[in-house]
Amino acid sequence: MKLVLAIAATLGLAIAATTPAPAAEEPPEKTYTVVRQYESFEVRDYAPYLVAEVTLPGNADEAGNQGFRILAGYIFGKNKGERQIAMTTPVTQSAEPKTIAMTTPVTQAASEGGFVIQFKMPAEFTLDTLPEPLDARIKFRGTPAQRFAVIRYSGRWSDSNYNEHLDLLRKGIEAAGLRSSGSPIYARYNAPFVPWFMRRNEIWLKID
């Protein structure tokens, strides 16, 4: 099974060689609360938040790489007003141009139209105040409050590593008497240059 990522995973996807890819930190604002900790995973409640997303056909790797470049182009200034969006946190602002910190993770998930790649937008923005993208494929939307079972692991971004932990998550959910639905969400928190043993990866499954 190819890697499936949702909305989002941040800097885990490859970016064009001409584009810098500094590491992004987790947002200072708390976007979730841990409901319960199990042996191999935890259940989190996520608050509503805004995402910029693009849906692309193809396999997971191709869609993920292309989607990352499209969204990275948007935050690097390919928007009306050419506002730069910094890939570090906390959120910082200057008089002109305004800077927007990119938050993690970047996620990717399967959809009927291919794969949905998303960047979470900083909490200070609304649908009315986000810079308008020049690429019509980029869409904004608010995600509702949701509950996820999440497994966290390190290591390489390989199918085998992903599948091993997805299987572990599903078995843990079943053993806990919970029910999940929807496609797995694959979240990555680090830049490609971060050593594999220091990377933070997660898989999310929605809990009914």
Side-chain angles (χ1 to χ4, degrees):
M1 175 181 178
K2 296 299 290 182
L3 300 179
V4 249
L5 188 182
I7 287 184
T10 297
L11 307 180
L13 301 175
I15 192 167
T18 56
T19 305
E25 301 294 334
E26 271 197 277
E29 68 271 12
K30 193 68 173 178
T31 57
Y32 67 85
T33 56
V34 177
V35 177
R36 184 169 177 177
Q37 183 73 53
Y38 292 88
E39 182 178 356
S40 60
F41 71 99
E42 64 185 21
V43 175
R44 300 175 185 171
D45 278 345
Y46 276 81
Y49 57 90
L50 292 177
V51 298
E53 67 180 24
V54 60
T55 302
L56 298 168
N59 63 46
D61 291 340
E62 292 172 351
N65 289 335
Q66 184 183 2
F68 187 92
R69 287 193 292 270
I70 292 170
L71 293 173
Y74 167 72
I75 67 170
F76 282 131
K78 289 184 178 180
N79 55 69
K80 292 187 177 179
E82 297 183 348
R83 294 183 179 181
Q84 298 292 311
I85 302 175
M87 297 183 80
T88 56
T89 57
V91 174
T92 59
Q93 290 180 265
S94 60
E96 289 296 335
K98 189 173 185 179
T99 61
I100 307 171
M102 176 180 158
T103 56
T104 59
V106 175
T107 62
Q108 178 178 321
S111 75
E112 291 183 1
F115 288 88
V116 180
I117 297 86
Q118 300 173 327
F119 281 9
K120 179 183 177 296
M121 296 291 99
E124 65 179 281
F125 289 91
T126 68
L127 290 174
D128 294 327
T129 60
L130 281 167
E132 184 178 346
L134 298 180
D135 192 321
R137 292 172 294 182
I138 297 174
K139 307 296 181 184
F140 302 115
R141 69 180 180 88
T143 64
Q146 299 180 82
R147 176 168 290 189
F148 290 100
V150 179
I151 188 168
R152 177 173 175 171
Y153 63 99
S154 62
R156 294 183 171 86
W157 299 323
S158 64
D159 284 359
S160 59
N161 200 17
Y162 171 86
N163 290 330
E164 175 186 347
H165 288 88
L166 176 58
D167 184 59
L168 185 61
L169 176 59
R170 284 176 166 155
K171 288 179 178 177
I173 291 172
E174 182 179 2
L178 303 174
R179 291 194 310 169
S180 65
S181 64
S183 299
I185 295 172
Y186 182 31
R188 296 184 240 188
Y189 289 78
N190 306 104
F193 54 75
V194 173
W196 61 268
F197 55 86
M198 295 178 62
R199 293 175 183 173
R200 174 182 174 181
N201 311 310
E202 291 180 348
I203 302 173
W204 306 346
L205 280 172
K206 185 178 179 181
I207 295 298
D208 295 331

